[in-house]
Amino acid sequence: MIARRWRYPRLAIAIGLLLFATGFGARTQTAAPPEVVWPNRESRANSDDWLRLHHNQIRQLRPRVLVLNFVNGLSSDEASRRVNALIAAVRESSRYQGYRSASAAPFLDYQVFKLVNLANTVPLPPDQRLDGNSSDYPRPPDWREGMVNFRYDELFSDKFTELYDVPDPNRPSKKLTLEEMVNHGVINEVWFLAVQGRFGAPQPCTEVKQAYDAELRKMDGRFVQAGFGIANEQPFIGRSLRILHINPERGPGCALEHLSRAMEGMAASKAVPYFTRYFGEFAGFDLKRRYSLPFDSLGGRDGGTEVDYPTRSTMKYRYKGEYYTVRNYVAAGGSVLFPPSARREFDMDSPLTVLSAVEHFRLHDGENGKDLTEPWSSAKFARYRGVANDCMGPYLVYWRQSMPGLDNKALDDAGKPMRNWWPFLFY
C-alpha cells in the first residue's frame, strides 16, 4: 500500500469531530442570538431548516471544506498554499461593497477541515502517468476523448471512505463516509486539486442541490443539478453538496470563476426561487423584459460578434445578421463572463466606459426611485488584480462584492429588505 502524508494532525481532526459530536443529530429549533455564525451548535449541516429560519440573523458563514490533492508532485504545503489563496479571494469577495468601505465584514470564511494528500509517493510507470494525477484519481474505466474524466460517485465509495480516514466519534472503529460527513455537518463542501490535460478534465464545479418552494420551504425528495457542469452520477444525499475542481496550474481567480459560474447555475436551476428572481436582474439575464431584445442575455447575439457602445448609454449588437441599437441603455451588474462594459465574453480589460447601476442594485437611490447610475469601466476592479489573479478573478471579486450581502440596503419587490444572498449557497 502506498504511504501517504496527512497535512493536518489527527488531534485537530479529533477536536473538530468532538465539536460535531456534542450535538450529534440535534435539530431542536431555538431562538438564535442577535448575531450568529454558522455552522454552530444548533446547526452545522447543509440544507438544515435552521438556515432559512435564521437567515437574516447570520453574521458569517464558516463552511468546513474537505480538500483532496490528486496531483503527483504537488506537496501538501503547496496544495495548502493554493487552497488558502482561494479562501482569501472568496473571503474578500464576500465583503458587501468592500470597495466603498474598508470596514465591511467578510461573510464567507471557509475553514479547511482536512487536506487529504492522495498523490503517489512512488513515481508511476510511464504508461500510467497519463495527465499527472494520482492512481487514486477516479477516472472512468472506459474514458473517451471529450468525456468528463472524473467519476463523482466514487467519492462516496468505501475506497474513499478509507482514504479520508475520518473516524466516527460515536464509533471510533468505524470511518465516516462522505455522505455521513455531509449529513452530520462534519464538512459542508469538497474541493479537489487535479491537473487538466489531454486526458480530459472534471466538471468545474458541480452541485446536487435540495429544491425549495417560493416560501423557501424544502420540497421533500426534490433536487436539481445546480452547479457549473452536470454530474448525473453524483448522488443526492438528502442535502445540497458542492464539489469544486481546482486546477493547480492556474491562479485562484480561475477557481473563483468556477464558483461564480456555479452561482449562475444555481440561479438557472431555480432551486431557490427567491435567488433566481433577483439574480437574473442583477446579472443582466433579463434583457428581453427590460429592453425588448430578442434574447435574455448578450450571449444570445450573433456568435463571434462584438457589442459596441457608441455612447455611455447606447448599446449596439448584431442578431441574425442585422445590427440593432438600444438607446438609454444602462448596464446591469454584469455576468461572470460579461462585465458591464465588455464587448465580448471574457473581455475583462475593455477600455470603454458605460453607465451602470451595479453599485446601486435595488437601492432606489436615483431619480424617481430608480437605481442610481454611474460611469463604469474596468478601473473599478483594478485593486483586486493581486487578490484573485488569473481568469476573470479580479473582476469577480468586485462583482461578488456588489451582490446583496451582509447589511445591504437593497429592497425586494415587496419593498422589504433584500435577503443576504450568501446563505443560499448552503440551503
Side-chain angles (χ1 to χ4, degrees):
M1 181 174 180
I2 298 172
R4 294 180 173 82
R5 182 162 59 90
W6 301 104
R7 175 64 181 87
Y8 294 94
R10 291 178 180 272
L11 178 59
I13 305 302
I15 292 173
L17 288 168
L18 178 61
L19 292 174
F20 144 66
T22 57
F24 187 94
R27 290 294 180 270
T28 302
Q29 302 298 337
T30 59
E35 296 190 5
V36 69
V37 171
W38 182 89
N40 54 57
R41 292 178 66 88
E42 295 285 336
S43 167
R44 60 191 57 80
N46 301 346
S47 309
D48 268 1
D49 281 341
W50 189 98
L51 279 165
R52 69 177 182 86
L53 293 173
H54 302 299
H55 186 121
N56 295 331
Q57 295 166 306
I58 302 172
R59 303 298 295 178
Q60 190 176 64
L61 299 177
R62 296 177 187 167
R64 293 184 284 257
V65 60
L66 175 67
V67 180
L68 311 176
N69 175 28
F70 288 107
V71 184
N72 287 333
L74 185 70
S75 69
S76 291
D77 287 342
E78 277 299 302
S80 285
R81 186 179 67 80
R82 286 164 171 78
V83 167
N84 288 334
L86 175 57
I87 288 175
V90 171
R91 183 188 301 117
E92 177 63 26
S93 77
S94 68
R95 296 175 58 240
Y96 178 61
Q97 296 202 343
Y99 43 75
R100 290 188 183 275
S101 173
S103 62
F107 195 79
L108 287 173
D109 190 16
Y110 277 86
Q111 312 291 311
V112 175
F113 168 72
K114 186 176 186 179
L115 192 158
V116 183
N117 189 355
L118 298 173
N120 296 116
T121 57
V122 177
L124 294 173
D127 63 338
Q128 296 181 30
R129 291 177 187 172
L130 300 178
D131 45 20
N133 292 321
S134 161
S135 56
D136 285 323
Y137 185 85
R139 297 178 184 84
D142 55 349
W143 182 84
R144 300 186 307 276
E145 188 171 358
M147 290 176 56
V148 172
N149 75 347
F150 191 90
R151 292 184 58 190
Y152 288 84
D153 56 331
E154 281 294 298
L155 298 182
F156 300 82
S157 68
D158 292 340
K159 170 187 172 181
F160 273 85
T161 297
E162 292 300 315
L163 295 175
Y164 302 145
D165 193 22
V166 176
D168 184 331
N170 293 335
R171 295 171 56 194
S173 61
K174 178 184 178 298
K175 295 175 183 177
L176 292 174
T177 66
L178 179 58
E179 178 175 351
E180 290 169 334
M181 283 191 274
V182 176
N183 280 326
H184 299 327
V186 177
I187 65 165
N188 307 104
E189 200 157 306
V190 177
W191 296 356
F192 68 91
L193 297 99
V195 175
Q196 291 181 212
R198 62 188 181 91
F199 292 95
Q203 296 286 12
C205 185
T206 66
E207 181 178 10
V208 178
K209 194 169 189 69
Q210 169 68 51
Y212 292 77
D213 64 19
E215 282 70 45
L216 298 180
R217 293 174 302 208
K218 284 192 289 190
M219 302 171 70
D220 291 343
R222 292 282 301 276
F223 61 92
V224 294
Q225 294 277 345
F228 175 34
I230 293 175
N232 288 318
E233 75 278 12
Q234 180 179 331
F236 178 58
I237 56 176
R239 298 180 188 272
S240 301
L241 178 62
R242 189 177 304 106
I243 302 177
L244 171 70
H245 167 228
I246 301 173
N247 184 348
E249 298 179 317
R250 303 300 298 265
C254 294
L256 187 67
E257 182 178 310
H258 291 172
L259 287 170
S260 301
R261 291 294 299 273
M263 292 187 73
E264 291 185 343
M266 183 172 74
S269 76
K270 301 180 181 179
V272 184
Y274 183 100
F275 179 72
T276 297
R277 163 65 189 91
Y278 299 109
F279 182 87
E281 182 181 316
F282 173 82
F285 290 161
D286 62 346
L287 298 182
K288 186 180 293 185
R289 178 184 66 82
R290 292 176 63 190
Y291 295 105
S292 299
L293 267 62
F295 41 72
D296 285 320
S297 73
L298 289 175
R301 74 195 190 286
D302 282 359
T305 64
E306 290 194 348
V307 178
D308 188 24
Y309 301 93
T311 72
R312 293 183 177 184
S313 59
T314 304
M315 188 263 287
K316 188 176 181 180
Y317 67 92
R318 196 177 85 172
Y319 182 69
K320 293 186 177 181
E322 300 289 334
Y323 283 94
Y324 299 87
T325 299
V326 181
R327 306 191 187 280
N328 300 316
Y329 179 78
V330 175
S335 61
V336 173
L337 303 185
F338 228 102
S341 65
R343 299 159 293 181
R344 56 189 174 273
E345 287 83 356
F346 301 103
D347 188 20
M348 192 171 65
D349 297 312
S350 168
L352 302 177
T353 298
V354 300
L355 287 183
S356 176
V358 57
E359 297 184 12
H360 301 269
F361 177 68
R362 284 195 161 256
L363 296 182
H364 305 302
D365 51 353
E367 187 177 353
N368 298 321
K370 295 182 178 180
D371 293 344
L372 183 67
T373 62
E374 296 177 323
W376 194 96
S377 73
S378 59
K380 287 282 191 178
F381 56 84
R383 72 183 72 186
Y384 301 123
R385 292 189 181 274
V387 176
N389 65 296
D390 212 353
C391 296
M392 299 293 286
Y395 155 67
L396 291 174
V397 173
Y398 169 91
W399 181 70
R400 291 160 66 100
Q401 284 191 352
S402 299
M403 295 177 185
L406 180 65
D407 296 331
N408 75 82
K409 304 301 180 184
L411 300 176
D412 64 16
D413 289 338
K416 296 180 180 179
M418 177 74 71
R419 286 177 179 264
N420 179 352
W421 287 2
W422 297 117
F424 292 132
L425 291 177
F426 298 95
Y427 266 42

